[in-house]
Amino acid sequence: GAGVSQSPSNKVTEKGKDVELRCDPISGHTALYWYRQSLGQGLEFLIYFQGNSAPDKSGLPSDRFSAERTGGSVSTLTIQRTQQEDSAVYLCASSPGQGYSPLHFGNGTRLTVT
Amino acid sequence: GEDVEQSLFLSVREGDSSVINCTYTDSSSTYLYWYKQEPGAGLQLLTYIFSNMDMKQDQRLTVLLNKKDKHLSLRIADTQTGDSAIYFCAESRTNDYKLSFGAGTTVTVRA
């Protein structure tokens, strides 16, 4: 079966532009996570979805960041008015959402803001 | 301070054993995980251990957990060049759905 799919794999954008990052989780996985990985840093939690609901948005760095999930499947992370400090790899993960299931990660989107 | 800490770099000779260490702070940790990240890829789950266990072995991988000291280690036997990667330690906690990750240990295997 397919794993977690993210697109695009790379995105270069100019400062001030909006970007959308897409995540297609493993079929049947109800839980979906976005993390950010900056150079030399660990993984920074951004947001978690259970189904279409996001009970915890506390990791979003600013109000320029938003995310949605539709149909309990695909999720989109949107960054408005991008800044250079937004440059990072954005990783999506999904899990069956039961108990303490391990997270399954996609290959990430590398975002570069010039 | 970080909840999960790891040393940043490890260099090991091919064929030797690698030991990657991790410390965590939360005594309510339930599961502890090791993930591997190769260049340009996402994180691949290697193994995980429940907090009431002290050891788990899976082929070349041995996980040791010292719950009293909140110390986790991953031993890779007979390290190969394909083991060169970043290794992340992560924990999950009671009533928390997300994992907390360390900064990762970059393992370099030299011939």
Side-chain angles (χ1 to χ4, degrees), chain A residues 33 35 37 40-43 45 48 56 91 100-107, chain B residues 31 33 35 37 41-43 45 48 88 93-95 97-99 101-103:
Chain A
Y33 304 77
Y35 282 84
Q37 183 179 22
Q41 304 290 316
L43 272 69
F45 168 78
Y48 154 76
D56 186 353
L91 292 164
Y100 299 99
S101 313
L103 272 58
H104 300 263
F105 282 84
N107 286 338
Chain B
Y31 283 92
Y33 304 82
Y35 282 84
Q37 185 181 35
L43 274 68
L45 178 68
Y48 62 98
F88 290 92
R93 303 172 187 172
T94 305
N95 298 323
Y97 39 80
K98 63 183 182 291
L99 301 188
F101 286 84

Side-chain angles (χ1 to χ4, degrees), chain B residues 68 76 80 93 108:
Chain B
K68 172 177 169 289
I76 306 173
Q80 303 297 307
R93 303 172 187 172
T108 303

Side-chain angles (χ1 to χ4, degrees), chain A residues 45-48 54-60 67:
Chain A
F45 168 78
L46 298 179
I47 189 170
Y48 154 76
D56 186 353
K57 305 179 183 179
S58 63
L60 294 177

Side-chain angles (χ1 to χ4, degrees), chain A residues 28-96:
Chain A
H29 280 192
T30 59
L32 186 147
Y33 304 77
W34 285 98
Y35 282 84
R36 179 167 72 173
Q37 183 179 22
S38 302
L39 188 64
Q41 304 290 316
L43 272 69
E44 175 189 7
F45 168 78
L46 298 179
I47 189 170
Y48 154 76
F49 287 92
Q50 180 59 43
N52 291 337
S53 300
D56 186 353
K57 305 179 183 179
S58 63
L60 294 177
S62 74
D63 58 9
R64 296 186 295 105
F65 287 71
S66 63
E68 64 176 13
R69 188 179 186 194
T70 54
S73 182
V74 172
S75 176
T76 303
L77 177 69
T78 301
I79 309 173
Q80 295 179 307
R81 305 180 302 281
T82 51
Q83 304 295 312
Q84 288 187 331
E85 62 262 27
D86 300 333
S87 296
V89 176
Y90 289 82
L91 292 164
C92 176
S94 70
S95 79

